[in-house]
Amino acid sequence: MQKSLVSITDYSKEEMLRILDYAAEFEKNPNQHILDGKVVATLFFEPSTRTRLSFETAVNRLGGRIIGFSDASTSSSSKGETLKDTIKMVSNYADLIVMRHPLEGSARYASEVSSVPVINAGDGANQHPSQTLLDLYSILKTQGTLENLRINMVGDLKYGRTVHSLLQAMSHFNPTFRFTSPEEQKMPAEYKEFLKERGIPFEESFSL
């Protein structure tokens, strides 16, 4: 299995299902100290209260320790330090990096220069794979299956990284999609092409 979590497309159907099995076990017993002695760096170059607190709570429940920042203006990046230098420096202090950054592709780049695994907590309009895994788990719990579902995605589909990641993840489970959005916020062509290449049906509606 991949060490870093950068894009949901890095994971196979079997790997995603294995993670959901782990999630069910952790839900039954959330206070497992498997991160005892480990340090996790949370690097949030853009604000996010819920995602940051979710990760920090998880690390604390698993026995780890947190370092990092929640405001890029308090980091050396405000003085011109490059992302590469920041990641290389932090990876000397931490066993895992959780990063949110406004630039698409930043998490992939960070995983390539880091000596420790990187979890992408959102990079621009690109990916939000941890949210996607949570969405998959919620769908599985409420629907009892991930297979053969009809899914309506509503709202900002152009910049919504959560829907982009979820679309790619659900492509393994024979879905049918409906995209409902204002026309100026419609699903980008690259994701519709992704579905066409895989023979996954979808329709669009431009009224909310």
Side-chain angles (χ1 to χ4, degrees), residues 1-184:
M1 186 176 289
Q2 300 284 330
K3 290 186 176 180
S4 290
L5 177 59
V6 173
S7 170
I8 203 67
T9 58
D10 294 336
Y11 284 71
S12 67
K13 177 179 181 179
E14 291 72 25
E15 287 172 330
M16 286 189 285
L17 290 173
R18 195 182 317 158
I19 292 171
L20 298 186
D21 287 339
Y22 290 146
E25 292 301 316
F26 280 114
E27 187 173 31
K28 294 175 187 175
N29 180 18
N31 296 306
Q32 302 181 38
H33 282 212
I34 63 173
L35 291 182
D36 277 345
K38 301 296 184 182
V39 175
V40 177
T42 54
L43 309 184
F44 279 70
F45 291 88
E46 64 176 3
S48 173
T49 301
R50 287 183 296 275
T51 300
R52 180 174 59 83
L53 291 181
S54 293
F55 273 107
E56 293 186 357
T57 299
V59 172
N60 283 317
R61 287 189 182 279
L62 297 176
R65 289 172 292 162
I66 296 285
I67 63 173
F69 54 83
S70 59
D71 182 351
S73 67
T74 65
S75 74
S76 293
S77 64
S78 66
K79 298 186 293 185
E81 182 175 84
T82 66
L83 178 60
K84 178 180 180 180
D85 288 341
T86 298
I87 295 299
K88 280 185 167 294
M89 180 271 294
V90 172
S91 63
N92 289 326
Y93 297 122
D95 301 290
L96 172 69
I97 294 173
V98 178
M99 187 180 86
R100 170 167 286 195
H101 198 283
L103 294 180
E104 295 182 25
S106 56
R108 177 72 67 195
Y109 178 71
S111 72
E112 292 171 353
V113 299
S114 174
S115 59
V116 299
V118 173
I119 294 179
N120 180 9
D123 61 331
N126 185 29
Q127 287 274 331
H128 197 339
S130 61
Q131 179 65 55
T132 299
L133 290 167
L134 177 59
D135 291 342
L136 290 178
Y137 188 57
S138 298
I139 292 169
L140 182 60
K141 285 182 65 178
T142 59
Q143 305 303 311
T145 183
L146 294 173
E147 300 284 354
N148 305 310
L149 296 177
R150 181 173 177 82
I151 299 171
N152 190 3
M153 293 182 166
V154 181
D156 179 2
L157 307 183
K158 182 175 183 180
Y159 298 108
R161 56 193 165 200
T162 55
V163 295
H164 299 161
S165 292
L166 183 59
L167 178 152
Q168 292 172 320
M170 285 301 302
S171 68
H172 293 284
F173 301 98
N174 195 37
T176 298
F177 287 107
R178 180 180 178 86
F179 303 135
T180 305
S181 70
E183 189 155 7
E184 61 272 16

